[in-house]
Amino acid sequence: MSFHVKLPDGSTKEFPEAVTPLMVAESISSGLAKQAVAARVNGEVFDIQGTLPDGAELSILKGDSDEGLDAIRHSAEHLMAAAVCEIFPDAQVTMGPKSHAGEFHYDFDLSRPLEPKDLDAVTARMKELIKAKTPFTHETMSKGEARKMFKNMGQTYKDEILDWIEGDDVTVYTCGNFKDLCRGPHVPHAGHVKAFKLLSNSGSYWRADANNAMLQRITGIAFHDKKALAEYLHRIEEAKKRDHRRLGKEMNIFSVSEKHDNHRYGNARDVEMLVTGSVSQAGMESGKLRADAVLDDKLLDGLANIFAPRVVKMNGYNVPAHSDPTRPSSDIQIRLFAGDISKEQAEAVRALEKETNERLEDGKTRIVVDRHFTEEVGPGLVLWHPKGGRLRTLIEDQWRKMHYAAGYDLVYSPHLAKSDLWKVSGHWDFYREGMFSPMAVDGQEYLAKPMNCPFHVLMYKDRPRSYRELPLRWAELGTVYRYEMAGTLHGLMRVRGFTQDDAHIFCTWEQVREEIDRTLGFVLKVLKTFGFETFTVNISTRPEKYVGSEDAWEKSEKYLEDAVQSRGLPYQIDEGGGAFYGPKIDVTLEDCLGRTWQCSTIQLDFNNPERFGLSFVNSSGEYEQPVMLHRALLGSIERFIGILIEHYAGVFPMWLAPEQVRVLPIADDQLDAARTLADALKAVGLRATVALQNEKLGAKIRQAQLDKVPAVIVVGKKEAEQGGGTVRYHGGTDGGYMSTEELIENFKNLAQIPEAS
RNA sequence: GCUGCUAUAGCUCAGGCGGUAGAGCGCAUCCUUGGUAAGGAUGAGGUCACCGGUUCGACUCCGGUUAGCAGCUCCA
């Protein structure tokens, strides 16, 4: 009997006995055999050493194919695990979750956290395994056998993993001394991992659940050749160079949460004492809030005695009722004058702490005396410096202009409102945890607004509405405050106070389709204006818990999909991924490094009209409920500017550049001529400055380049005499000499705002 | 919020196994008056994040707080 193998070019090879993909590759060329890392057999990817069935359709996969690269990375992941197990014999191997960007990672339960230098040791060991061309082999066994084997090896996590795997048999791969459950495929030996780098180590949770043990994760990347790895690392470097946090600082655009305490506070020796703790048994039983439980009278009296008579204010700020009562918190604060704490006072505090813990029997109350009094805005809150202010103004002005042109009206609403407003809207129940703690004013509870919609709803309710005035399109650059978890804050990308470019459209059911389509068109027009060209869309449909009628959901989901299809945008549907109040589409843009950012969103809201009892009078004189659409185009202005900074690497297009032109006098003799020229440019609305520093031209050019000014105009003796100047663009392009009139004309043209369609 | 790492001049960072500190850039002043990415000199500037502990002595060691970074989780 002979065996047949079909190759991708349509030809068929015949073999006298059963063969492996590797043998087929060898029969074609020794070069191919050397490069082969995996094989696609009848559409599925396998090892190249498995026996082929007769008549198999076979593609030999090299390292430069997607599937081949996957096999290389997956194998590198196993090599890493093998190395870690050798270095840490007691390591518990868990699993290597899938990652997005092609990077591989593996989570280990280790006796101690990893340090960066551990990665060097792991890397070195991996290189040895690669050099030795350590083979990958696999065997198939029953689950029972696998359980027994891993138990003998002392690997306890594998039991749980085996529970998730369907079927009776599992595959176990071996590389060196390392064995692990794995579906494969793997490269035949470690030598195929030609280039790799361990990128970072970090923590992660077993099954991504914060209640579980913290594992040690190592992340790495691997390629089929060194050049591809170098390119990848270069891209990471490039992204780092563009990091908006770094550029924002260098270019003096904004700052987030910086301290400025560089002096003594003199007489203002006002410090705060923090008392942090978890609820005591007594507190739990009495059902009181934690603050009351911890800050009982005995403790307060004790503190007052120690620091009397300097206590100026002493109250336990109530722990918000939504907080987890068992979680330690520093929401309880006492303010007192205690600029310098004496040794006696410190000792007394310690004694009081001990006594409190004994009395409350929880042993967790901690009294910390800290000069908690610094010149800092607070994490996640942004300061916009003049350049950033200019950038924002330019973006927001353009935004306003486009909104008026698109038939919107602009509205404003306050930063605070009574918390009742969000109780009516329902947000209080769902999203309380994400709000800043309420503040008490005149016996009422107020909140910093976490969203703008209730305000717009109230404006709608200002008077009875007629169908004749719909649709109403109300937009607002509304700054909202959300309590984002400390660990998630990131430059401008994730902050606690940010400005939504929000709008709400109130319309009839007959108008919804048209409004959705218009809005999507507007989204694209605005994003294109800012220089983005590639978009994808995600449509999220009805989740299990929802409000509104099934009919309403189905209709609007169809409208959303139709709108996306008619624009020819690539999209995917996230079934059941919508918010409880309505379906939505999210638009994701791609930046110049190919990274994607979700900025825009268009959402139907069936919740607010119902909860606030919105209505309009239709043509038959009956009351009808309007449909409400939420939408944001840029998302958060803060985040969008962060994206713009990274997209343009700080070199903004002329119309967005905070400083468009800098006039450089060659010597101080030309300062007046330079000023005159800059004034002429400023007079027509261009943003021009003069370099005043007493430096050579080279230094001034360099500075302008570093400041990322799009263009400079050099004014020397010649130019000073005949007027005008010589243009040099950012990057070094020579613009030649131009008269003042020509300069004005030239820069006015360059500063035109792009017309997107 | 969780885990790990980090915190020294306006910025980027050195440094010391415990005896109060350095560089480059930037800034100020002076010299230089120059032609497309760095001219020179001098000077100012720091309670080494904050609060405790250990110690004769802490910027250094230990604990905590705050904040940043990476990841996890979350994202109306």
Side-chain angles (χ1 to χ4, degrees), chain A residues 516 520 523-524 527 534-542 553 556-557 559-565 567-579 582-589 596-604 630 632:
Chain A
I516 289 174
L520 182 59
V523 164
L524 300 178
L527 294 180
T534 312
F535 311 101
T536 53
V537 175
N538 196 53
I539 303 177
S540 301
T541 61
R542 196 181 70 221
W553 277 86
S556 35
E557 281 168 11
Y559 293 162
L560 291 173
E561 192 169 349
D562 286 351
V564 175
Q565 275 182 343
R567 306 257 161 199
L569 293 168
Y571 70 101
Q572 55 185 39
I573 295 181
D574 180 6
E575 294 288 353
K584 62 168 178 177
I585 52 182
D586 295 320
V587 180
T588 298
L589 60 86
T596 56
W597 305 91
Q598 192 239 300
C599 293
S600 319
T601 183
I602 303 173
Q603 315 193 358
L604 275 289
H630 298 256

Side-chain angles (χ1 to χ4, degrees), chain A residues 382-451:
Chain A
V382 182
L383 294 179
W384 290 98
H385 298 204
K387 259 195 182 182
R390 173 73 81 168
L391 188 55
R392 254 190 95 146
T393 307
L394 290 161
I395 292 168
E396 293 178 359
D397 283 351
Q398 178 62 17
W399 184 91
R400 290 191 187 97
K401 213 169 89 189
M402 293 182 81
H403 273 71
Y404 276 128
Y408 284 80
D409 280 305
L410 300 189
V411 296
Y412 290 89
S413 60
H415 288 227
L416 300 176
K418 289 189 180 181
S419 58
D420 295 334
L421 197 48
W422 284 278
K423 287 173 185 162
V424 175
S425 72
H427 292 110
W428 178 258
D429 289 333
F430 281 91
Y431 307 111
R432 219 181 319 176
E433 300 242 355
M435 301 182 189
F436 272 76
S437 306
M439 60 195 102
V441 180
D442 292 343
Q444 299 278 348
E445 221 178 28
Y446 283 75
L447 281 169
K449 64 169 164 180
M451 67 272 300

Side-chain angles (χ1 to χ4, degrees), chain A residues 2 38 55 219 259 269 587 718:
Chain A
S2 65
T219 302
K259 281 195 193 180
R269 301 195 303 177
V587 180
K718 274 184 291 180

Side-chain angles (χ1 to χ4, degrees), chain A residues 273-283 289-296 298-300 303 325-330 332 334 349-369:
Chain A
M273 168 179 285
L274 302 174
V275 181
T276 73
S278 58
V279 74
S280 66
Q281 205 58 40
L289 289 181
R290 184 167 82 254
D292 301 331
V294 178
L295 287 173
D296 62 2
K298 271 197 137 156
L299 178 55
L300 291 174
L303 289 166
T326 59
R327 191 187 70 188
S329 156
S330 57
I332 314 157
I334 296 167
V349 166
R350 208 123 315 241
L352 181 64
E353 181 182 274
K354 198 174 166 204
E355 184 201 305
T356 306
N357 282 328
E358 278 165 13
R359 184 160 41 81
L360 298 178
E361 292 177 358
D362 67 354
K364 283 174 183 168
T365 301
R366 244 182 0 251
I367 306 176
V368 180
V369 181

Side-chain angles (χ1 to χ4, degrees), chain A residues 449-511:
Chain A
K449 64 169 164 180
M451 67 272 300
N452 304 301
C453 17
F455 297 97
H456 298 183
V457 166
L458 292 188
M459 287 185 226
Y460 181 91
K461 289 187 76 167
D462 180 54
R463 58 181 170 77
R465 299 286 172 181
S466 153
Y467 73 96
R468 290 171 188 273
E469 60 184 317
L470 301 183
L472 290 169
R473 306 190 192 95
W474 291 343
E476 173 173 10
L477 289 164
T479 305
V480 297
Y481 298 88
R482 297 179 181 181
Y483 180 77
E484 302 287 354
M485 285 193 294
T488 63
L489 301 175
H490 182 90
L492 293 177
M493 301 299 188
R494 194 75 179 272
V495 289
R496 283 181 175 165
F498 62 95
T499 309
Q500 283 184 319
D501 70 319
D502 213 353
H504 296 96
I505 298 167
F506 301 91
C507 63
T508 68
W509 265 111
E510 290 72 47
Q511 294 167 332

Side-chain angles (χ1 to χ4, degrees), chain A residues 597-668:
Chain A
W597 305 91
Q598 192 239 300
C599 293
S600 319
T601 183
I602 303 173
Q603 315 193 358
L604 275 289
D605 183 348
F606 306 135
N607 184 51
N608 274 309
E610 181 65 36
R611 284 192 167 246
F612 282 94
L614 298 189
S615 66
F616 65 92
V617 180
N618 67 17
S619 57
S620 324
E622 295 152 342
Y623 286 107
E624 212 177 299
Q625 193 177 74
V627 184
M628 189 173 165
L629 282 163
H630 298 256
R631 47 111 281 198
L633 313 182
L634 313 179
S636 140
I637 300 289
E638 284 74 4
R639 179 164 171 272
F640 189 73
I641 291 180
I643 294 167
L644 278 182
I645 292 173
E646 304 208 352
H647 179 62
Y648 289 115
V651 189
F652 297 108
M654 193 68 94
W655 75 276
L656 276 174
E659 183 183 355
Q660 293 173 313
V661 198
R662 189 178 293 180
V663 184
L664 313 182
I666 287 183
D668 285 358

